[in-house]
Amino acid sequence: MGEPDAHPVLGLDDVVHQRVRLGILTIAHEARRVEFGYLRSRLELTAGNLSKHLTVLETAGLVAVEKGYEGKRARTWITLTTAGTAALADEISRLKALIARMEVTQDRR
């Protein structure tokens, strides 16, 4: 996580931290394998918007996108890669560190 006394916000990953992408990663982590339509509806996105965010995550190596068929219907499934799991865990760790700093500050007041 960087230098011991570095502020936790310095290590937040802009690719992971963006609201929609953080949502994609957390849902994929919970589900292990998630269908495109499910992500689109849960995150209230258009198909185009979700596709753009998935491209960013796939390019960064954080998710794998698999296209196939279920019956006659085309489907797209998303899974976290090992790097995606590690990046999500690191982001959550940094967010927890930020929360802990806020709680300490509030306790002093």
Side-chain angles (χ1 to χ4, degrees):
M1 274 184 50
E3 294 181 34
D5 57 347
H7 196 280
V9 77
L10 296 176
L12 292 176
D13 182 332
D14 290 338
V15 172
V16 175
H17 192 74
Q18 196 281 339
R19 179 183 61 86
V20 171
R21 293 191 290 266
L22 187 57
I24 292 167
L25 293 172
T26 56
I27 291 171
H29 175 74
E30 293 167 356
R32 303 273 187 230
R33 183 178 188 232
V34 63
E35 202 268 327
F36 183 93
Y38 180 80
L39 277 176
R40 187 177 44 75
S41 65
R42 287 289 290 160
L43 296 173
E44 299 179 0
L45 301 169
T46 64
N49 193 274
L50 177 56
S51 290
K52 287 178 184 178
H53 286 290
L54 287 173
T55 298
V56 170
L57 292 170
E58 187 177 26
T59 299
L62 303 181
V63 298
V65 177
E66 173 191 351
K67 295 181 184 276
Y69 287 88
E70 191 172 282
K72 292 184 179 185
R73 190 162 180 211
R75 298 283 186 170
T76 301
W77 293 277
I78 293 87
T79 54
L80 281 183
T81 62
T82 302
T85 300
L88 179 60
D90 186 57
E91 191 75 8
I92 297 302
S93 176
R94 291 176 189 282
L95 291 171
K96 285 179 179 179
L98 284 170
I99 290 167
R101 287 175 72 111
M102 290 300 298
E103 289 171 344
V104 167
T105 303
Q106 288 174 349
D107 289 346
R108 283 192 241 148
R109 292 185 179 176

